[in-house]
Amino acid sequence: MPSAGLNVLRRAEMCLANIAARNPRVNAVVSVVPRESLERQINQISEPQAPRRGIAGRIFTIKDNYCTRELETSCASKVLQGFTAPYDSEPVELIKKAGGIIIGKTNMDEFAMGTNNDFSRYGKCLNPLYPDEEISPGGSSGGSAAAVAADMCEVSLGSDTGGSVRLPGAYCGVYGFKPSYGLLSRNGVIAYAQSLDTVGILSKSIDLVEDTFDVLNQYDPNDPTSIDPEYRAQIAALPKRDRSTLTVGVMEEAIIDMDPEVQQAWIDALDALREQGHRIKTVSVPSLKSALPTYFIISPAEASSNLSRYDGIRYGYRAPSDREEPSGFLYAPTRTNAFGAEVQRRILLGTYNLSSGQYGNHFEKAQRVRRKIQLEFDEVFATPNVVTQNEVVGDVDVLINPTARTRALPHGQHKSAIEDYINDVLTVPPNIAGLPAISCPWGQGQDSVGIQVIGQFGDDKTVLHVARLLEALQKH
Ligand code: GLN
């Protein structure tokens, strides 16, 4: 094996050693590729000509809702138990082509529905920052965030529908980036709510977050929601703003009840930016408070429709009684046995919201509110939105607020589904409007707080730039 390959093999072996040592407790990684696959992947990396950035030789794990040819893909659900996809999802393929090394799949909330990674057929995942307590890593990409935090990989792909890479990123003290909707292909990523779902990237290194984003940021004709080349060209042609003095917006609606240490971290981050000469400005997105209810109407509606394909015939699990049922009932026992409580709750909620009696009252209204939220965000930003084509009236480069109201919580602390849903209050607005957003660790280890940077649609690079600024400010 060439020397670059040996170096990669050493790092992969370190990750595997961390999996062996820490995963029995943390339960972040649910499957690992066979040794031959690891060596084959490493042998395929071409020798770099010169030291360079990029993801070649970087060690990845992938959330269990990405189709992979080599490993089972079950979305941590019993309904897909035993399902191995006949193809690699587009993001997995792109990572492999760019020389990324995929070593395993990660734990998650079933079908990406949850905020604590406790609804999983693999059992709950624990936050590795807390070796003595059963603290949640956040969800739904809890396994990905925990795997990164515990050095079981260098980068992990998660998915973000309403905060599922940013919340676990915040709880585990790592970066969690949700790019603009439609920039990264979701082809082969199992849908939760397709108008909100994005591929997400978690890592301790902002360079690796950006390098992975660069590899995945491509038009995919096989994903009908992929932003097409014409819009990509418009994004590239947007006038470049002077980044030496940024205008950072603080949404007054984001000033909500939160833990004092979270609020303090927010103030500290803003103060540090101000000291560097950036301008902090209070702005208003009046409908922000409607984002959470809007999300919990739209996402279960889309989920209930997406999950109808799990009928015991096409994929994975079928209840034994289905085969023997003389009356002809086929679906009910399979779906009753195989979907967990949270997924069943979402199916009921979504089916209700889409029923003929409620559609106009709930789903249609939620779509209107969604549009309103999008337009209000447009009014704040200095960069035009290439999708809505609104006139620019704002002067803000990025918005900054905490990712979550609290730091990581003990498993099982929340007794009701509603309490869990409320935790998403600060993460769902970017999904509703399709905006790029990253959770950045502010502070170290258990003391870290997730600070969220949100940008205009397509302005992902400015969001990543501000994440770097925040990192640099902490080193001073
Ligand atoms: N916690 C949110 C939910 O349960 C977000 C999940 C996600 O982003 N996949 O819907």
Side-chain angles (χ1 to χ4, degrees), residues 360 363-373:
F363 191 71
E364 219 171 68
K365 264 195 200 147
Q367 298 292 5
R368 267 189 241 122
V369 177
R370 178 177 198 172
R371 185 70 176 166
K372 195 155 183 273
I373 294 170

Side-chain angles (χ1 to χ4, degrees), residues 75-386:
C75 292
S77 177
K78 188 169 163 186
V79 88
L80 275 174
Q81 196 172 318
F83 171 70
T84 302
Y87 62 95
D88 278 334
S89 54
E90 182 68 8
V92 165
E93 211 166 290
L94 289 175
I95 283 178
K96 283 186 174 169
K97 264 194 210 142
I101 308 297
I102 292 173
I103 61 164
K105 305 280 287 272
T106 53
N107 205 347
M108 58 185 283
D109 281 302
E110 183 178 3
F111 281 104
M113 298 169 192
T115 42
N116 290 313
N117 208 148
D118 45 10
F119 302 115
S120 162
R121 84 168 168 100
Y122 296 108
K124 63 188 173 205
C125 174
L126 299 186
N127 190 323
L129 297 183
Y130 301 82
D132 306 318
E133 288 163 278
E134 293 216 335
I135 302 289
S136 161
S140 65
S141 313
S144 289
V148 167
D151 297 319
M152 298 174 185
C153 61
E154 296 174 287
V155 193
S156 191
L157 291 191
S159 63
D160 194 309
T161 307
S164 274
V165 300
R166 287 161 288 149
L167 193 74
Y171 285 179
C172 292
V174 302
Y175 289 100
F177 179 43
K178 172 208 113 57
S180 298
Y181 177 79
L183 281 189
L184 276 47
S185 171
R186 292 184 297 111
N187 182 17
V189 186
I190 296 175
Y192 159 10
Q194 68 277 16
S195 78
L196 302 154
D197 293 343
T198 58
V199 165
I201 305 162
L202 299 108
S203 180
K204 285 184 179 175
S205 151
I206 189 69
D207 283 349
L208 283 180
V209 170
E210 185 154 7
D211 293 344
T212 306
F213 170 74
D214 289 342
V215 166
L216 300 181
N217 182 13
Q218 292 188 28
Y219 172 59
D220 179 5
N222 294 319
D223 173 357
T225 61
S226 179
I227 297 292
D228 67 29
E230 190 193 321
Y231 283 111
R232 287 172 195 266
Q234 285 182 31
I235 292 171
L238 286 172
K240 300 278 172 284
R241 305 243 320 147
D242 170 19
R243 285 181 177 167
S244 59
T245 331
L246 294 166
T247 301
V248 174
V250 172
M251 295 182 282
E252 56 187 68
E253 295 77 13
I255 306 172
I256 54 172
D257 185 29
M258 58 182 71
D259 283 356
E261 60 271 25
V262 170
Q263 192 168 22
Q264 194 55 51
W266 186 13
I267 292 169
D268 290 348
L270 293 173
D271 278 347
L273 285 166
R274 191 188 289 113
E275 277 168 29
Q276 293 290 305
H278 303 293
R279 193 161 75 101
I280 313 295
K281 182 183 174 189
T282 307
V283 295
S284 176
V285 178
S287 302
L288 198 81
K289 54 186 179 305
S290 306
L292 192 65
T294 303
Y295 174 83
F296 276 103
I297 291 172
I298 293 173
S299 66
E302 293 183 9
S304 69
S305 162
N306 284 324
L307 293 174
S308 64
R309 75 188 67 154
Y310 304 108
D311 50 14
I313 299 172
R314 282 173 270 202
Y315 318 89
Y317 174 84
R318 175 188 284 193
S321 59
D322 267 344
R323 290 202 197 89
E324 295 139 23
E325 186 57 71
S327 62
F329 293 124
L330 183 64
Y331 298 171
T334 294
R335 290 169 65 84
T336 307
N337 289 351
F339 283 135
E342 185 57 30
V343 171
Q344 293 196 19
R345 192 166 19 244
R346 307 282 178 116
I347 293 174
L348 290 176
L349 207 60
T351 309
Y352 177 73
N353 286 331
L354 289 176
S355 64
S356 58
Q358 299 308 323
Y359 181 86
N361 237 348
H362 292 168
F363 191 71
E364 219 171 68
K365 264 195 200 147
Q367 298 292 5
R368 267 189 241 122
V369 177
R370 178 177 198 172
R371 185 70 176 166
K372 195 155 183 273
I373 294 170
Q374 243 170 5
L375 299 181
E376 288 178 12
F377 270 118
D378 280 351
E379 285 181 18
V380 165
F381 286 115
T383 305
N385 184 329
V386 299

